[in-house]
């Protein structure tokens, strides 16, 4: 720790009131600006009590708050204590995925966002990814089309392969933010395109379109790739709208709440 958080640098009393939150904020600031590095052990509870001029319960509550944020981990044993965590991609994506699950988004808003992201990462992938990565995406897309072309395809496996393809493409963009967001979307909503693959009326066209998109990316043809992305989301909109209309008809004017199609995304 450095000044304002290090007990060896003199006392920094916590503000009265919500003292645990005040301590947590000071420690969080030290972690985020690099004064406390990943893997570094915090001073003992006793040292922090003296440094912040407060009791053990307040210090423990502050540590608990930072644990909940994923910034600290508490280890047991001879070398136990509170340690700064290395925040991994999975932690970031899990938090964002949980937020998305708790804050429902209208289907059209979600589709619009996904289409915008896909267009951007496709252009970046064409410009930045190695040809071997593009060829690998094409091979996996061909495998995906073959799987869905079976008389009774394994839809669970298809969903996993679809997620893999989306994450591969996001990674090829060469910007970790796109990968984090894509992983969170996949975790938060499962496979957004499951509605297409469950419906035989859309399945073959959607799978062939993924294959065509990957082929255009491998051939370094951005305009062609973007046209296939537009076609994909056109199919998805039609499919989701059709399911919502069918659900509304089935429920009738006195039925249950109208289905939004959200759970199919």
């Amino acid at each position: 720790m450095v000044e304002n958080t290090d007990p060896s640098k003199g006392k920094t009393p916590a503000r009265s009131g919500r003292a645990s939150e005040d301590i947590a904020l000071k420690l969080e600031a030290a972690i985020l600006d690099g004064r406390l590095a990943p893997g570094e052990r915090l001073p003992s509870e006793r040292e922090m009590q003296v440094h912040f001029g407060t009791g053990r319960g307040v210090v423990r509550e502050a540590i608990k708050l930072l644990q909940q944020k994923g910034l600290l981990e508490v280890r047991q044993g001879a070398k136990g204590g509170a340690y700064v965590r290395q925040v991994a991609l999975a932690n970031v994506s899990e938090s964002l995925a949980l937020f998305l699950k708790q804050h429902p988004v209208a289907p059209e808003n979600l589709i619009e966002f996904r289409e915008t992201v896909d267009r951007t990462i496709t252009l970046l992938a064409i410009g930045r990814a190695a040809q071997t990565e593009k060829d690998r995406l094409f091979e996996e897309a061909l495998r995906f089309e073959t799987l869905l072309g079976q008389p009774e395809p394994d839809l669970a496996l298809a969903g996993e392969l679809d997620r893999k393809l989306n994450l591969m493409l996001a990674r090829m963009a060469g910007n970790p933010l796109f990968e984090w967001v894509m992983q969170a979307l996949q975790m938060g909503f499962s496979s957004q395109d499951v509605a297409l693959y469950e419906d035989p009326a859309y399945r073959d066209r959607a799978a062939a379109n993924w294959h065509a998109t990957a082929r255009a990316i491998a051939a370094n043809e951005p305009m062609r790739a973007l046209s296939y992305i537009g076609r994909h989301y056109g199919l998805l909109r039609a499919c989701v709208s059709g399911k919502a209309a069918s659900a509304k008809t089935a429920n009738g004017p006195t039925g249950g709440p109208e289905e939004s199609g959200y759970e199919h995304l």
Side-chain angles (χ1 to χ4, degrees), residues 19-39:
S20 59
E21 292 182 5
D22 183 44
I23 294 172
L25 286 173
K26 290 178 179 178
L27 293 173
E28 180 177 345
I31 293 170
L32 296 179
D33 67 18
R35 286 174 289 158
L36 282 171

Side-chain angles (χ1 to χ4, degrees), residues 22 34 43 54-55 65 69 78 82 114 129 144 150 163 175 180 183 204 211 232 250:
D22 183 44
T54 189
L65 290 172
K69 289 186 175 183
R114 273 298 313 277
F144 181 67
Q150 297 175 358
R163 281 188 284 275
N175 183 329
W180 298 343
Q183 184 161 327
D204 291 343
H211 184 201
H232 171 83

Side-chain angles (χ1 to χ4, degrees), residues 97-124:
L98 179 60
F99 176 84
L100 292 172
K101 286 180 178 180
Q102 292 179 339
H103 298 77
V105 179
E108 176 53 33
N109 290 341
L110 183 56
I111 292 172
E112 180 181 66
F113 178 75
R114 273 298 313 277
E115 182 174 7
T116 302
V117 170
D118 280 1
R119 286 178 174 275
T120 300
I121 63 176
T122 294
L123 292 177
L124 291 174

Side-chain angles (χ1 to χ4, degrees), residues 15-56:
R15 292 179 299 178
S16 59
R18 303 301 295 273
S20 59
E21 292 182 5
D22 183 44
I23 294 172
L25 286 173
K26 290 178 179 178
L27 293 173
E28 180 177 345
I31 293 170
L32 296 179
D33 67 18
R35 286 174 289 158
L36 282 171
E40 187 173 343
R41 184 181 183 276
L42 268 62
S44 68
E45 290 182 356
R46 177 58 183 166
E47 289 174 310
M48 287 195 282
Q49 287 177 58
V50 173
H51 177 65
F52 292 113
T54 189
R56 174 182 288 185

